[in-house]
Amino acid sequence: MERRTFLTHLAATAGLAGLGLAGDQPQAPKAMRITVRKSLERGRADHGWLDSRHTFSFAEYYDPRHMGFRSLRVINQDKVTPGAGFPTHPHRDMEIFSYVLEGALEHKDSMGNGRTLKPGEIQLMSAGRGVTHSEFNPSRSEGLHFLQIWIQPSERGLAPSYTEWKPSEAARDARKVLVISNDGRESSAAIHQDAAVYRVRLAAGERIQHALAPGRGAWLQIIRGAAKLNGTALAAGDGASTEDAGELVLEAVESVEALLFDLA
């Protein structure tokens, strides 16, 4: 190739490269932005019989920076002393579920339901246009530890309802299992909101992936253990969120249990 022709070709190639048009060099995927809500920064209410940690503003704890995430309004980590509990009180227009971690949770409501749930089980109550209920620790010797979670419904004034999720043998130790959804798929409990909630259990070194679609948001609540979410370190009680579409990768640093929320 003549020198003049070569230089012309080189200049043209360089110009195309500057415009991002030369070659087949793929662009690196944009990193998902992860926002962490540290466990020790949560609100706390200590009533003696109840020790509660509030991820979002709740009751006397108020922080305008933490009012919820999309339709997710409350994540309370509650520890109740033996024989104590929440007396009968009202709710309306809220999807409320409790995930039992330790001990037993006794539930009674104005719809006539009376249940005692054990660790690994979930109760879901749609308060709708109005319901009253109570939650107690029936044991006289063991404490109760559970998560109380509220999600705003897609409609107001619905008929109140109650359901439960109990793990099958296959789901008991599954790495990722759907426990709540808007249509009750995969034997999950149905909720009146475009939301999917997964229970995650991983041994050290194990990982799961979750594809977050455009326009949706994800919240991860670590219950026990330690993990990394797309490389971000998380410990027990920490929450992490993103509204960037892409693949979430959760890797257990040590044995970990968590809830993953995929929300419209």
Side-chain angles (χ1 to χ4, degrees), residues 74-87:
V74 170
I75 302 179
N76 289 348
Q77 181 181 350
D78 292 340
K79 293 183 178 180
V80 181
T81 59
F86 302 89

Side-chain angles (χ1 to χ4, degrees), residues 212-232:
L212 186 65
R216 298 185 70 85
W219 183 281
L220 178 74
Q221 187 69 30
I222 302 294
I223 298 171
R224 297 184 251 251
K228 291 182 179 179
L229 180 65
N230 288 31
T232 299

Side-chain angles (χ1 to χ4, degrees), residues 34-39 42 54-56 65-75 147 149 151 196-198 200 210 212 216-222 229 234 237-243 248 250 258-264:
I34 305 295
T35 301
V36 177
R37 173 68 157 138
K38 299 297 293 182
S39 175
R42 294 179 295 175
H54 307 319
T55 295
F56 305 118
R65 299 169 301 170
H66 301 287
M67 299 299 295
F69 178 77
R70 294 190 171 228
S71 60
L72 181 58
R73 182 61 188 82
V74 170
I75 302 179
L147 292 182
I149 295 166
I151 294 177
V197 184
Y198 299 85
V200 177
H210 182 79
L212 186 65
R216 298 185 70 85
W219 183 281
L220 178 74
Q221 187 69 30
I222 302 294
L229 180 65
L234 299 170
D238 289 351
S241 63
T242 186
E243 294 184 280
L248 290 167
L250 180 67
L259 291 179
L260 174 62
F261 301 79
D262 186 323
L263 305 165

Side-chain angles (χ1 to χ4, degrees), residues 95 124 163-166 177-198:
E95 307 289 291
L124 172 60
T163 189
E164 297 174 2
W165 180 86
K166 296 183 179 182
V177 59
L178 183 67
V179 296
I180 292 174
S181 69
N182 64 330
D183 57 5
R185 63 187 182 276
E186 299 176 28
S187 301
S188 60
I191 193 172
H192 296 103
Q193 180 55 266
D194 186 359
V197 184
Y198 299 85

Side-chain angles (χ1 to χ4, degrees), residues 43-207:
R44 185 182 182 187
D46 188 350
H47 300 286
W49 63 272
L50 169 67
D51 186 357
S52 184
R53 303 280 179 163
H54 307 319
T55 295
F56 305 118
S57 294
F58 184 84
E60 296 180 2
Y61 168 65
Y62 174 74
D63 185 337
R65 299 169 301 170
H66 301 287
M67 299 299 295
F69 178 77
R70 294 190 171 228
S71 60
L72 181 58
R73 182 61 188 82
V74 170
I75 302 179
N76 289 348
Q77 181 181 350
D78 292 340
K79 293 183 178 180
V80 181
T81 59
F86 302 89
T88 301
H89 57 282
H91 290 287
R92 66 177 300 124
D93 293 320
M94 195 65 69
E95 307 289 291
I96 301 170
F97 76 90
S98 300
Y99 179 39
V100 182
L101 305 174
E102 298 171 320
L105 174 64
E106 183 179 305
H107 167 95
K108 294 181 180 179
D109 62 46
S110 55
M111 295 177 283
N113 299 296
R115 302 282 195 277
T116 299
L117 284 86
K118 299 177 180 179
E121 299 178 345
I122 290 173
Q123 65 169 17
L124 172 60
M125 185 178 70
S126 178
R129 53 181 173 261
V131 69
T132 60
H133 79 138
S134 63
E135 293 176 299
F136 273 89
N137 178 1
S139 174
R140 296 296 175 182
S141 58
E142 296 183 4
L144 164 63
H145 184 194
F146 72 107
L147 292 182
Q148 181 180 154
I149 295 166
W150 297 8
I151 294 177
Q152 294 173 321
S154 56
E155 299 179 54
R156 298 175 64 87
L158 297 168
S161 61
Y162 176 92
T163 189
E164 297 174 2
W165 180 86
K166 296 183 179 182
S168 64
E169 285 299 320
R172 194 174 302 279
D173 295 315
R175 293 184 183 182
K176 177 186 174 187
V177 59
L178 183 67
V179 296
I180 292 174
S181 69
N182 64 330
D183 57 5
R185 63 187 182 276
E186 299 176 28
S187 301
S188 60
I191 193 172
H192 296 103
Q193 180 55 266
D194 186 359
V197 184
Y198 299 85
R199 190 214 62 199
V200 177
R201 284 182 178 171
L202 301 174
E206 292 183 335
R207 62 169 58 190

